[in-house]
Amino acid sequence: MSKGDGAYGRSESCSLCKKPAVARLSDPKRSLCADHFIRDCEERVRNAIVTEGMITDSDRIAVGLSGGKDSTALLMILSGILASCRGDVSSETGSSEIDAISPNADLIAITIDEGISGYREETMEAAAALVRQLGIPQQIISFDELFGSDLDTLLKGREDEACTVCGVLRRRALLEGARRAGATKIATGHNLDDEAQSVLMNLLRGDLPRLVMDTASGYPDCFIPRIKPLLPLSEKEIVIYLMVQGAFTDLPECPYAHTALRGEAREMLSSLEMQYPGTRQRLITARDDVREIIGADEPGMRGEGAVTRCRRCGEVCSGDICAVCRVLRRKRLDE
Ligand code: SF4
């Protein structure tokens, strides 16, 4: 099994105590009970935050909260880490690491209502219940409010483009939410699987600028840096984490999900990961190596071309018209 991967339901004992194990992980090999598994996941996230310097200087972090499993785990873990930094709860981690995360950082959840009938209602309710439980402020932004139309309406006649259109508009909506909240960072729930899938999709599309673009700089979304604290965790580990915390809810899948190239990338990578453990992590590492080789001398290759303003909406973009206006204009021309 690959680094950090998990398996639920093994009849083994925890490597650290004798309680029944809920997951078996490798590198290093260990089987963990529920308590030790939770601690292990949280420590890996905390270490990534410290190592990458994701949270500093009283950051106000806008957490993209869809109500799905990844964003739920992200908000739970971040809120626990910040509570331990403030001394609200005890921490198992060394104090020097805790000191590296600002005790004054705070969170606000940003929930985007795309307007996907029969799907978003339930996840919106799950998001609202979670922020109530954690005592975190929430801001809800709808496509209707921002773009004058919900996603279902925008997609009429071009449903096969759903995820491309949705992705472009969601990024803008999240950015708008972060700005309204006065956020200094945007945190998203991307996990190890998501990141490896993105690398593979960019390779399949032959999109080198997007492959090496580093959104941690804040480019191209107007310089609010993005952080991905869940990158050390696989999708399976996140499911186990939520299950053992009693926070797993079986929510419906987006009706447009089957239109995404991501679904094919996911299947391809799952099968490769089974045959060649560590494939996902190696893909990400190879991408990071390419980023480093390209270095700071080639901004064009990193997608950091000259920053201009969109002719239609005035947003920062790298061309004449931003991606959001292209998507919306196409819809109006189709009418
Ligand atoms: Fe949007 Fe596609 Fe995700 Fe559905 S699956 S929420 S359409 S990106």
Side-chain angles (χ1 to χ4, degrees):
M1 193 167 289
S2 68
K3 182 181 181 179
D5 217 342
Y8 191 65
R10 304 262 171 184
S11 55
E12 293 176 20
S13 299
C14 177
S15 309
L16 302 172
C17 66
K18 289 301 152 205
K19 288 187 193 157
V22 297
R24 182 201 273 170
L25 302 98
S26 58
D27 197 18
K29 277 194 176 150
R30 60 220 191 270
S31 295
L32 298 177
C33 66
D35 287 345
H36 283 114
F37 178 74
I38 290 169
R39 203 172 299 163
D40 187 275
C41 289
E42 293 176 350
E43 275 181 20
R44 277 188 281 147
V45 172
R46 189 182 286 122
N47 289 342
I49 291 172
V50 172
T51 309
E52 302 290 327
M54 292 184 198
I55 300 175
T56 53
D57 299 336
S58 311
D59 269 328
R60 183 158 175 75
I61 304 161
V63 181
L65 178 69
S66 68
K69 59 184 177 0
D70 296 326
S71 59
T72 295
L74 175 64
L75 197 63
M76 287 172 66
I77 294 176
L78 280 183
S79 118
I81 288 173
L82 294 186
S84 70
C85 290
R86 289 191 296 268
D88 296 350
V89 294
S90 66
S91 167
E92 304 287 333
T93 312
S95 61
S96 60
E97 289 194 349
I98 286 297
D99 289 346
I101 301 175
S102 168
N104 298 316
D106 71 343
L107 304 174
I108 175 162
I110 311 285
T111 301
I112 314 295
D113 181 2
E114 302 90 348
I116 304 174
S117 155
Y119 162 67
R120 276 314 261 141
E121 298 84 352
E122 265 188 76
T123 48
M124 295 281 294
E125 271 172 35
L130 183 67
V131 293
R132 269 199 307 274
Q133 182 198 326
L134 297 175
I136 290 171
Q138 181 192 32
Q139 188 170 160
I140 298 173
I141 297 190
S142 72
F143 277 14
D144 212 5
E145 173 214 338
L146 265 191
F147 309 119
S149 189
D150 60 34
L151 188 67
D152 286 337
T153 309
L154 279 169
L155 289 177
K156 289 234 161 72
R158 53 169 173 159
E159 288 79 4
D160 55 339
E161 294 173 39
C163 294
T164 307
V165 173
C166 181
V168 166
L169 299 183
R170 264 158 58 128
R171 269 194 297 281
R172 175 66 60 82
L174 186 54
L175 175 64
E176 181 57 28
R179 282 177 179 155
R180 289 181 190 178
T184 53
K185 297 266 169 66
I186 295 174
T188 58
H190 292 86
N191 60 43
L192 177 69
D193 299 64
D194 298 327
E195 193 74 351
Q197 288 156 18
S198 295
V199 174
L200 181 60
M201 287 191 296
N202 285 325
L203 283 171
L204 293 173
R205 293 189 187 111
D207 191 342
L208 185 57
R210 191 165 281 279
L211 175 73
V212 296
M213 186 185 289
D214 186 0
T215 51
S217 66
Y219 189 90
D221 286 339
C222 208
F223 312 115
I224 297 183
R226 287 178 179 249
I227 59 172
K228 300 175 183 173
L230 294 192
L231 281 193
L233 305 183
S234 70
E235 192 174 315
K236 198 188 279 183
E237 287 173 324
I238 289 171
V239 170
I240 299 172
Y241 178 87
L242 293 174
M243 287 176 92
V244 297
Q245 294 266 42
F248 181 81
T249 316
D250 201 6
L251 292 166
E253 190 179 34
C254 173
Y256 300 113
H258 66 281
T259 66
L261 173 61
R262 184 171 288 278
E264 288 171 54
R266 175 184 289 125
E267 274 180 33
M268 235 187 276
L269 273 175
S270 299
S271 139
L272 284 169
E273 184 71 35
M274 293 276 281
Q275 287 183 65
Y276 310 105
T279 297
R280 291 170 304 195
Q281 187 55 57
R282 280 194 297 277
L283 261 178
I284 296 170
T285 305
R287 187 274 317 272
D288 292 345
D289 289 347
V290 172
R291 261 186 197 162
E292 214 173 307
I293 290 165
I294 288 174
D297 306 322
E298 299 286 346
M301 289 302 291
R302 296 200 316 268
E304 297 175 15
V307 172
T308 55
R309 294 260 168 203
C310 171
R311 261 197 304 122
R312 293 175 64 90
C313 70
E315 266 296 338
V316 168
C317 68
S318 56
D320 206 22
I321 295 190
C322 72
V324 169
C325 286
R326 280 202 299 272
V327 159
L328 295 176
R329 187 172 65 166
R330 166 110 189 256
K331 144 73 168 102
R332 285 181 198 115
L333 289 174
D334 287 349
E335 282 173 346

